[in-house]
């Protein structure tokens, strides 16, 4: 464990789990950490120690499968990064977490594809991280800042054409509140019956390089 300051430990109970301990815990669900589409939510993510190790594992799978195919790497990287979620109470940790995750992705992307790597795709990943790593309080289920509102997560799924992405937004409260999950039975990849709430908003299909446009169109 490590800390930024004693005051932060006193005020917020903030400690950071070491890489060795993180990987030991993730190894308990190793198969899931290596599924590209498997979703993870860290409700007190700090600066991302757990999330970055999950991303590294997903990126290693992407490299093994698509290191010679940039377009496929990009498409499935959207799904891999888009399956990682975090909520954090302290703003500096939120920014650190987003940056660390981006730099982890970008190092691998640039190493694999060098001059073929595009700024356009990097902006797509930045946008997903902006939406998935949120400044909020997982106890109140509200964002933190000037305008407090319900925490909302975006689900990113790949369309059949392999290029377009479907975004659906869900409130964290509904995701946690089984009372809101009425008559919406789906099946998980394990074959178990699961219930999910209705999205608070759905967006049209859009090419994965144009995800940021969904936000611009609303502004």
């Amino acid at each position: 464990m490590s800390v930024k300051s004693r005051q932060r430990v006193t005020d917020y109970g903030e400690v950071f789990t070491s890489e060795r301990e993180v990987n030991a815990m993730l190894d308990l669900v190793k198969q899931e950490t290596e599924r590209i589409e498997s979703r993870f939510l860290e409700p007190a993510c700090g600066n991302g120690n757990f999330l970055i190790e999950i991303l590294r594992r997903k990126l290693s799978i992407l490299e093994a499968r698509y290191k010679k195919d940039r377009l496929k790497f990009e498409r499935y990287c959207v799904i891999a990064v888009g399956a990682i979620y975090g909520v954090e109470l302290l703003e500096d940790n939120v920014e650190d977490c987003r940056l660390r995750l981006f730099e982890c992705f970008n190092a691998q992307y640039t190493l694999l594809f060098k001059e073929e790597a595009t700024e356009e795709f990097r902006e797509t990943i930045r946008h997903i991280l902006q939406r998935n790593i949120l400044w909020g309080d997982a106890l109140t289920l509200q964002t933190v800042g000037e305008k407090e509102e319900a925490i909302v997560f975006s689900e990113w799924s790949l369309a059949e054409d392999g290029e377009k992405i479907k975004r659906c937004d869900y409130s964290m409260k509904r995701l946690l509140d089984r009372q809101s999950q009425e008559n919406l039975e789906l099946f998980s990849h394990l074959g178990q019956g699961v219930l999910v709430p209705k999205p608070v908003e759905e967006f049209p299909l859009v090419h994965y390089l144009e995800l940021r446009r969904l936000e611009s169109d609303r502004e």
Side-chain angles (χ1 to χ4, degrees), residues 129-172:
L129 291 173
Q130 191 74 24
R131 289 214 52 84
N132 281 27
I133 310 301
L134 301 177
W135 185 22
D137 186 336
L139 295 178
T140 65
L141 307 181
Q142 297 284 310
T143 60
V144 177
E146 293 183 4
K147 185 181 179 182
E148 294 185 5
E149 51 191 14
I151 292 174
V152 172
F153 289 119
S154 295
E155 175 191 56
W156 316 90
S157 55
L158 196 63
E160 291 183 2
D161 66 4
E163 292 188 355
K164 292 186 176 65
I165 297 293
K166 177 69 174 179
R167 170 183 159 189
C168 292
D169 286 358
Y170 297 87
S171 75
M172 188 175 182

Side-chain angles (χ1 to χ4, degrees), residues 1 7 57 85-86 106 111 118 144 152 157 163 201 208:
M1 300 282 186
Q7 190 62 47
R57 294 180 184 213
Y85 301 88
N106 192 45
L111 179 65
T118 70
V144 177
V152 172
S157 55
E163 292 188 355
E201 189 168 6
Y208 68 88

Side-chain angles (χ1 to χ4, degrees), residues 100-191:
R100 291 179 71 200
L101 291 171
F102 175 79
E103 289 180 341
C104 178
F105 143 77
N106 192 45
Q108 192 84 337
Y109 181 54
T110 303
L111 179 65
L112 288 176
F113 301 108
K114 300 177 175 60
E115 66 276 2
E116 292 185 6
T118 70
E119 286 302 316
E120 195 175 18
F121 185 62
R122 292 185 178 104
E123 283 303 310
T124 288
I125 297 301
R126 285 191 183 97
H127 175 64
I128 292 173
L129 291 173
Q130 191 74 24
R131 289 214 52 84
N132 281 27
I133 310 301
L134 301 177
W135 185 22
D137 186 336
L139 295 178
T140 65
L141 307 181
Q142 297 284 310
T143 60
V144 177
E146 293 183 4
K147 185 181 179 182
E148 294 185 5
E149 51 191 14
I151 292 174
V152 172
F153 289 119
S154 295
E155 175 191 56
W156 316 90
S157 55
L158 196 63
E160 291 183 2
D161 66 4
E163 292 188 355
K164 292 186 176 65
I165 297 293
K166 177 69 174 179
R167 170 183 159 189
C168 292
D169 286 358
Y170 297 87
S171 75
M172 188 175 182
K173 183 178 187 304
R174 284 189 178 182
L175 289 171
L176 296 176
D177 183 4
R178 291 185 176 274
Q179 297 304 313
S180 69
Q181 301 172 353
E182 299 175 1
N183 303 318
L184 292 169
E185 189 169 14
L186 300 177
F187 288 91
S188 74
H189 70 283
L190 298 175

